[in-house]
Amino acid sequence: MLKTTTVVVGAGHCGLAMSRCLAEKSIDHVVLERGEVANSWHTQRWDSLRLLTPNWMTRLPDYAYRGDDPDGYLSASETAQLITDYAKETAAPVQANTTVTSVRSVERGYLVHTDQDTWHARTVVSASGGSAVARVPALQHAIPAGITNLTPTEYRNPSEVPDGGVLVVGASASGIQIAEELHRSGRPVTLAVGEHVRMPRTYRGRDILWWMDATGLLDERYDEIPDLPRASRLPSMQLVGTPERKTLDLNALRGIGVQLVGRLAGIRDGLAQFSGSLANVFTLADLKLGRLLDTIDTWAAKAGLEDLGPPQRFAPTQVPSPARLTLDLRSGEIQTIIWATGLRPDLSWLDVPIFDRKGRVGHDGGVTASPGLYLIGMPFLRRRKSTLIDGAAADAADLTGHLVRYLDAT
Ligand SMILES: Cc1cc2nc3c(=O)[nH]c(=O)nc-3n(C[C@H](O)[C@H](O)[C@H](O)COP(=O)(O)OP(=O)(O)OC[C@H]3O[C@@H](n4cnc5c(N)ncnc54)[C@H](O)[C@@H]3O)c2cc1C
């Protein structure tokens, strides 16, 4: 059996950030990765995907973006390369092509079984990804035969999608981007819209994420916000990273001909039924955007940034009239359904009693109830930006601090 102080599971940017912080504290560790470094960026992203965060936000412990386009948006393959370069530069002790099959609590630590070796470690950090597998609602089982079902982790490009109409379910970052791409490929696209987070790409001449970073909104802490469970379930921002920094909101999609319908509420005898509350959903998203812009404007006034241009307000999201409430999935109108309904972690290898009845891991800012077992990369783990690349440095530093204190005390 192999021994180390800390096993980190997963060599995405979170696992590597953790590795860097552990190395700085001289903690002996190994990073076990089932594929290659940045596996999810190599295997789970569609071809045209670009980061929705500007390049200057691609910051990791002891690393900042060095290219000549700080305001641009890296492609998925460039992101994979950057993470791979980071692993090399930090000499992270990655053991690739090693799948962790189980982690069990034993005396003085954990037994980590992999498809290669078994490790004993005093502490374990799961960095296996907060968005590892698609979360598809149970009503997918009511889809008539003959319709192709895809998730964003399976979708690659329009050429791999059957000709004919597409129903995209979910209007967050993945859903709006894939809906636009499929519409531009000539397919009729229907987009089912539930709760969403509307965002302009730029505001008062700056990237919206510049404002969210500068105002401190992305740094909001898990132990300071009123409703953490709700905040950690919020859908991703409706943003796309393009060279022209375009806004891709529902008005833009409707403008190019994407049909907007309400949330997919049920499927009965092949008939898809959409919620009739589209107008309410739009009003709520517009209201929340207005509040965000108010916060930004107040902050800008205090910071003396009036020269960036006057406050802007955006046209309300237009409700299609009448909004379609049903769609016959047996009629041939829809050939493909894209389930852009969110992603979730896969911690099925974790054989430690820290799951609640819904299968979610209980933790306090990444510190689980099992001493010496940590999580990183989960939604709102310690900060609003915890699932962004830019959130890993602060979270990894905090968790390393806790881990070092735990080792010293035991
Ligand atoms: C479509 C999409 C777009 C995104 N766009 C942005 C963006 O613009 N900007 C931004 O900052 N963030 C973005 N994110 C969020 C986030 O940066 C990524 O999800 C990122 O990949 C998460 O990093 P991670 O290290 O937590 O997990 P991952 O990158 O998923 O890394 C986890 C690693 O663990 C490995 N692993 C899993 N299980 C095991 C096991 N049992 N044994 C061994 N290894 C295992 C996996 O192979 C993987 O390499 C996006 C996410 C998605 C899904």
Side-chain angles (χ1 to χ4, degrees):
M1 190 192 320
L2 299 160
K3 282 190 183 237
T4 187
T5 305
T6 304
V7 163
V8 178
V9 183
H13 76 265
C14 279
L16 297 170
M18 200 64 210
S19 170
R20 180 73 190 137
C21 292
L22 291 170
E24 268 168 12
K25 300 285 177 194
S26 304
I27 307 284
D28 175 47
H29 67 282
V30 64
V31 183
L32 303 179
E33 167 55 54
R34 67 181 168 191
E36 299 294 336
V37 168
N39 187 44
S40 65
W41 290 99
H42 286 296
T43 63
Q44 295 191 321
R45 307 286 185 259
W46 61 94
D47 297 347
S48 65
L49 176 72
R50 287 187 170 275
L51 291 188
L52 51 77
T53 43
N55 293 338
W56 58 263
M57 276 184 83
T58 311
R59 299 178 283 212
L60 287 164
D62 303 317
Y63 179 89
Y65 172 78
R66 296 168 195 154
D68 55 7
D69 187 17
D71 295 322
Y73 309 91
L74 290 181
S75 67
S77 59
E78 289 167 338
T79 307
Q81 190 57 53
L82 181 143
I83 294 171
T84 305
D85 291 347
Y86 181 67
K88 284 193 192 128
E89 191 171 307
T90 55
V94 177
Q95 185 175 310
N97 301 308
T98 304
T99 301
V100 173
T101 51
S102 80
V103 169
R104 285 206 195 101
S105 173
V106 291
E107 206 179 324
R108 281 190 66 72
Y110 294 89
L111 214 50
V112 180
H113 289 286
T114 79
D115 58 356
Q116 308 291 328
D117 327 281
T118 297
W119 290 79
H120 181 275
R122 291 196 45 210
T123 53
V124 171
V125 181
S126 170
S128 61
S131 39
V133 287
R135 194 192 292 273
V136 181
L139 47 78
Q140 67 164 316
H141 300 299
I143 299 293
I147 291 184
T148 300
N149 289 273
L150 289 172
T151 65
T153 53
E154 296 164 338
Y155 170 77
R156 287 293 167 272
N157 59 60
S159 75
E160 295 183 5
V161 173
D163 286 339
V166 181
L167 171 63
V168 178
V169 185
S172 296
S174 302
I176 58 159
Q177 292 179 29
I178 294 173
E180 189 207 21
E181 179 164 273
L182 288 171
H183 171 81
R184 293 206 184 280
S185 75
R187 292 170 178 78
V189 174
T190 302
L191 178 63
V193 183
E195 185 188 0
H196 58 276
V197 181
R198 184 181 179 194
M199 283 282 158
R201 179 71 269 179
T202 55
Y203 183 64
R204 297 175 71 177
R206 296 279 175 115
D207 195 292
I208 190 71
L209 288 171
W210 181 87
W211 288 105
M212 291 184 72
D213 182 59
T215 52
L217 282 170
L218 292 175
D219 291 309
E220 277 182 327
R221 286 181 57 89
Y222 76 111
D223 46 5
E224 286 170 0
I225 59 148
D227 188 351
L228 179 61
R230 177 156 168 70
S232 55
R233 282 198 305 271
L234 269 186
S236 59
M237 296 171 272
Q238 281 180 338
L239 284 174
V240 61
T242 60
E244 63 276 19
R245 300 167 101 195
K246 74 176 175 198
T247 291
L248 186 62
D249 61 10
L250 297 175
N251 283 344
L253 284 169
R254 189 158 178 256
I256 59 170
V258 171
Q259 175 173 228
L260 305 181
V261 295
R263 193 176 61 84
L264 179 60
I267 300 171
R268 184 166 296 174
D269 299 330
L271 197 68
Q273 300 165 330
F274 302 109
S275 161
S277 61
L278 204 52
N280 293 346
V281 170
F282 286 0
T283 304
L284 189 64
D286 290 350
L287 189 80
K288 285 185 179 167
L289 173 60
R291 277 193 206 135
L292 171 70
L293 301 181
D294 288 346
T295 305
I296 288 173
D297 291 338
T298 307
W299 179 86
K302 276 193 199 142
L305 292 177
E306 276 83 0
D307 55 336
L308 283 179
Q312 295 168 265
R313 288 299 175 266
F314 300 92
T317 311
Q318 287 172 352
V319 187
S321 172
R324 194 169 177 182
L325 294 175
T326 58
L327 201 166
D328 188 353
L329 296 174
R330 293 160 308 188
S331 68
E333 183 180 343
I334 297 296
Q335 294 297 322
T336 307
I337 299 183
I338 308 276
W339 296 97
T341 36
L343 300 163
R344 63 173 177 82
D346 174 11
L347 298 168
S348 51
W349 46 271
L350 204 45
D351 208 356
V352 182
I354 50 169
F355 295 89
D356 67 15
R357 273 180 301 161
K358 288 190 171 168
R360 292 177 302 219
V361 176
H363 65 92
D364 180 15
V367 180
T368 75
S370 184
L373 178 62
Y374 299 89
L375 298 177
I376 187 167
M378 298 292 153
F380 226 127
L381 185 92
R382 299 184 73 85
R383 295 167 176 83
R384 191 176 291 284
K385 64 182 179 185
S386 284
T387 38
L388 296 179
I389 294 171
D390 195 33
D395 287 4
D398 287 357
L399 291 176
T400 300
H402 192 286
L403 188 149
V404 169
R405 288 192 296 279
Y406 168 74
L407 289 173
D408 287 347
T410 55

